């Protein structure tokens, strides 16, 4: 039988993996695999195990939220031989799973993880940290990792909304110069994100749904500091309701960008703290990881 490394975060989402584990393992065995299971005990475990053991397997499957997937990606990107990756989403939001059209039903996702079609997706790199779907700074970006896991387990996606409301009075601008292949933009920004996804924070409206996950390009969004509450309302209308273009919103595609900030700025990668930088480069590593999925690109 073929060996399979199964990395599980038992606390993700509402801990539903606990009641589905035997069914999932049975699916793996019926697909001709001998699963070897590792249950994470602390933050960083998934990355460490993926890095140390991933190259010994042709297939690694992980179950957890976006943060768990990020850890596994970071571990696998450090291996000499990249295995294929299966993903069983079990978090509160599961943004990248939405982009991959992966089922929210764990049994269905488990079948895809061992029998799906390999799809080579781009992987981003911010400094020395890799990300699979988003690197961001500014207002609300700390919500995902500052929201207690217990709250997320009880309230699910609503927990993020409650935490975001607390940040409304903490908006401050970051003065930056952002350079990319086609030019540069300088200004005071309250939010920025570099993405390879069709969903952010569970909202599809923030992202162009024609995004290609394997084209070697990021979708970049920068929002400048509004001058008054009316300007802020106009930004929200543009972002969610696609009204007329807004002078405060900058959107473009790029293979790589360089961000030079006046002060050290905290970045979030895939929902986890990704470091604080004054100057940082972000690069797209095209089609770096093969993830199994049902959806076949046409």
């Amino acid at each position: 039988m073929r060996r399979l490394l199964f990395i599980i975060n038992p606390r993700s989402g509402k801990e539903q993996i606990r009641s589905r584990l035997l069914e999932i393992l049975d699916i793996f065995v019926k697909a001709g695999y001998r699963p070897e299971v590792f249950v994470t005990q602390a933050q960083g475990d998934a990355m460490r195990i993926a890095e140390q053991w991933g190259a010994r397997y042709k297939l690694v499957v992980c179950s957890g939220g976006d943060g768990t997937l990020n850890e596994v990606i970071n571990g696998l990107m450090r291996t000499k031989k990249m295995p294929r990756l299966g993903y069983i989403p079990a978090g509160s939001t599961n943004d990248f799973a939405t982009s991959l059209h992966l089922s929210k039903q764990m049994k269905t996702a488990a079948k895809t993880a061992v029998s799906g079609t390999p799809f080579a997706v781009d992987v981003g790199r911010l400094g020395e940290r890799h990300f699979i779907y988003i690197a961001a700074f500014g207002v609300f970006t700390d919500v995902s990792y500052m929201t207690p896991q217990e709250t997320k387990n009880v309230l699910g996606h609503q927990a993020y909304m409650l935490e975001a409301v607390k940040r409304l009075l903490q908006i401050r601008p970051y003065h930056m110069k952002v350079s990319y292949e086609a030019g540069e933009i300088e200004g005071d920004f309250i939010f920025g994100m570099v993405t390879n996804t069709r969903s952010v924070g569970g909202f599809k409206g923030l992202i162009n749904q024609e995004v290609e996950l394997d084209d070697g390009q990021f979708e970049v969004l920068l929002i400048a500091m509004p001058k008054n509450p009316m300007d802020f309302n106009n930004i929200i209308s543009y972002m969610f309701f696609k009204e007329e273009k807004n002078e405060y919103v900058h959107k473009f595609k790029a293979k790589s960008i360089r961000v030079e900030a006046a002060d050290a700025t905290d970045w979030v990668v895939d929902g986890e703290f990704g470091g604080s930088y004054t100057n940082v480069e972000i690069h797209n590593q095209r089609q770096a990881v093969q993830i199994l999925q049902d959806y076949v690109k046409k």
Side-chain angles (χ1 to χ4, degrees), residues 238-251:
Y238 171 74
M239 294 301 300
F240 289 98
F241 303 108
K242 304 300 180 184
E243 296 182 359
E244 65 275 1
K245 289 188 176 182
N246 191 287
E247 63 178 304
Y248 296 99
V249 180
H250 305 272
K251 285 185 174 183

Side-chain angles (χ1 to χ4, degrees), residues 137 176 178 185 189 191-193 220-224 248-252:
F137 71 86
M176 294 177 167
V178 179
I185 301 172
F189 303 104
F191 178 78
M193 64 181 184
V220 183
L221 168 71
L222 299 171
I223 300 179
Y248 296 99
V249 180
H250 305 272
K251 285 185 174 183
F252 56 90

Side-chain angles (χ1 to χ4, degrees), residues 169-185:
L169 298 179
Q170 301 175 14
I171 296 176
R172 71 180 184 88
Y174 303 81
H175 188 81
M176 294 177 167
K177 181 170 73 173
V178 179
S179 307
Y180 62 108
E181 303 96 271
E184 65 180 39
I185 301 172

Side-chain angles (χ1 to χ4, degrees), residues 124-257:
R125 179 168 58 84
L126 181 144
E128 298 302 316
R129 182 72 179 264
H130 293 92
F131 61 95
I132 192 67
Y133 79 96
I134 185 171
F137 71 86
V139 61
F140 303 146
T141 53
D142 64 344
V143 167
S144 56
Y145 65 86
M146 291 296 289
T147 305
Q149 182 65 51
E150 292 77 9
T151 305
K152 289 188 283 188
N153 286 349
V154 173
L155 298 179
H157 186 66
Q158 290 181 332
Y160 293 110
M161 299 299 99
L162 292 175
E163 194 69 22
V165 171
K166 299 177 184 178
R167 302 287 190 273
L168 286 174
L169 298 179
Q170 301 175 14
I171 296 176
R172 71 180 184 88
Y174 303 81
H175 188 81
M176 294 177 167
K177 181 170 73 173
V178 179
S179 307
Y180 62 108
E181 303 96 271
E184 65 180 39
I185 301 172
E186 185 169 0
D188 295 326
F189 303 104
I190 60 171
F191 178 78
M193 64 181 184
V194 181
T195 66
N196 188 46
T197 183
R198 300 184 182 99
S199 174
V200 173
F203 297 104
K204 294 183 179 181
L206 286 171
I207 300 291
N208 181 353
Q209 293 303 293
E210 300 303 316
V211 168
E212 299 289 348
L213 305 180
D214 60 347
D215 64 355
Q217 294 197 93
F218 295 120
E219 279 67 40
V220 183
L221 168 71
L222 299 171
I223 300 179
M225 181 69 179
K227 296 178 182 178
N228 54 59
M230 181 61 69
D231 289 335
F232 189 81
N233 287 336
N234 291 338
I235 291 172
I236 298 299
S237 296
Y238 171 74
M239 294 301 300
F240 289 98
F241 303 108
K242 304 300 180 184
E243 296 182 359
E244 65 275 1
K245 289 188 176 182
N246 191 287
E247 63 178 304
Y248 296 99
V249 180
H250 305 272
K251 285 185 174 183
F252 56 90
K253 288 179 176 286
K255 295 179 180 178
S256 62
I257 69 172

Side-chain angles (χ1 to χ4, degrees), residues 117 293-298:
T117 301
Q293 60 166 17
D294 287 325
Y295 175 79
V296 178
K297 180 182 176 183
K298 298 180 180 180

Side-chain angles (χ1 to χ4, degrees), residues 61-73:
V61 178
C62 69
S63 179
D66 293 325
T68 303
L69 179 62
N70 174 272
E71 283 199 23
V72 172
I73 292 292

